[in-house]
Amino acid sequence: YEESNRPPFKIQYWELPKLRSLSSIHAQLLRKYGLLGEFPLLALLHPSHIRYLKLPAVNSLKHLFDLLDALDPADRNEILGWTMDMVINPRFRDPPPDYKGTIGDLRIDKVDYPSFKAKCHELARMVSSSFVVTSVVNHVLQYLLHFGDSSSLGTVIENNRAMIGHFQECIQEGDPEVDTAALLIPKIEQIIDELPDQTRRYYQLYVTFCERVVGPLFDERMELRLPKYLRRPTRTSTFP
């Protein structure tokens, strides 16, 4: 057009990255024309999780632990799982030469529910208790939904099968790590076999956490403690 018409204006070319940048804040427009893509995970989100994503409740540690205490202990340990490790952040001993044990056997600090509660109260002395609650709840939700995501199960299984193929190639090519590859293949095959049941279990725990903990968090009404200079005066001051 420029070559044929010699327009008095300049034409700018917007490539895909620029178009994405300009349209990123117009989600409704993108959704209208089917440009957002498909997100099957959204269909798995629990309503309480969606509500918490929009605006987390302001909670005390006491209210959170009252709700967690009421859960079945076995379910509670599975639900908190990796979150307890992240909060406690245990120390580990250096493994001796030719160590054949597990990483757990090298752990110095206990990782259990009582230790987790104690650590949360310790953290609440440095930051607000509501921040600790929100951090814990969000991490648990991410952890459970990630492992309970049935919409990505096929991809996870394909990735594990690709890993098996890679290790089989290493064995055929006489790779120096051939012994390690031979040990890992049956373990990965076992993971693939267990993935469907494991995914269903984590999603069940996700729903339990949403219904028994996340939803009831909104029932607490905490009294916000404002700084003195923001509090309403108890009597009217008079000025000269």
Side-chain angles (χ1 to χ4, degrees), residues 76-236:
R76 183 177 61 221
N77 285 336
E78 283 189 85
I79 285 170
L80 294 176
W82 186 241
T83 305
M84 289 198 295
D85 270 278
M86 296 295 286
V87 170
I88 295 171
N89 193 23
R91 297 165 297 164
F92 291 86
R93 290 184 293 273
D94 292 329
D98 300 323
Y99 179 70
K100 301 296 183 183
T102 64
I103 294 178
D105 293 335
L106 297 172
R107 195 159 45 198
I108 298 172
D109 304 305
K110 257 187 177 181
V111 177
D112 55 18
Y113 185 56
S115 303
F116 169 71
K117 290 176 76 170
K119 187 67 174 183
C120 285
H121 284 290
E122 179 185 332
L123 291 171
R125 290 193 289 271
M126 295 181 282
V127 296
S128 71
S129 62
S130 61
F131 181 80
V132 176
V133 173
T134 303
S135 300
V136 166
V137 171
N138 276 324
H139 191 273
V140 172
L141 286 169
Q142 290 175 335
Y143 168 79
L144 293 177
L145 188 59
H146 172 71
F147 287 105
D149 178 16
S150 57
S151 68
S152 64
L153 181 58
T155 303
V156 175
I157 290 175
E158 286 178 12
N159 290 340
N160 278 277
R161 285 178 176 156
M163 196 177 299
I164 289 176
H166 169 70
F167 287 140
Q168 287 172 336
E169 289 178 4
C170 291
I171 292 172
Q172 291 172 358
E173 295 171 0
D175 190 282
E177 299 295 328
V178 63
D179 292 337
T180 302
L183 288 172
L184 287 174
I185 288 176
K187 292 182 179 180
I188 298 173
E189 289 174 340
Q190 183 180 356
I191 289 172
I192 292 173
D193 291 339
E194 294 173 352
L195 265 173
D197 288 339
Q198 184 187 69
T199 302
R200 281 190 290 270
R201 174 59 178 161
Y202 272 108
Y203 188 73
Q204 179 187 18
L205 293 170
Y206 165 75
V207 172
T208 297
F209 184 69
C210 286
E211 294 181 349
R212 300 280 302 278
V213 178
V214 181
L217 284 175
F218 290 95
D219 295 337
E220 185 179 27
R221 294 290 180 267
M222 283 186 66
E223 180 183 348
L224 296 179
R225 296 182 179 179
L226 297 176
K228 288 183 179 180
Y229 64 89
L230 290 177
R231 295 176 190 170
R232 181 177 296 174
T234 54
R235 60 185 180 182
T236 304

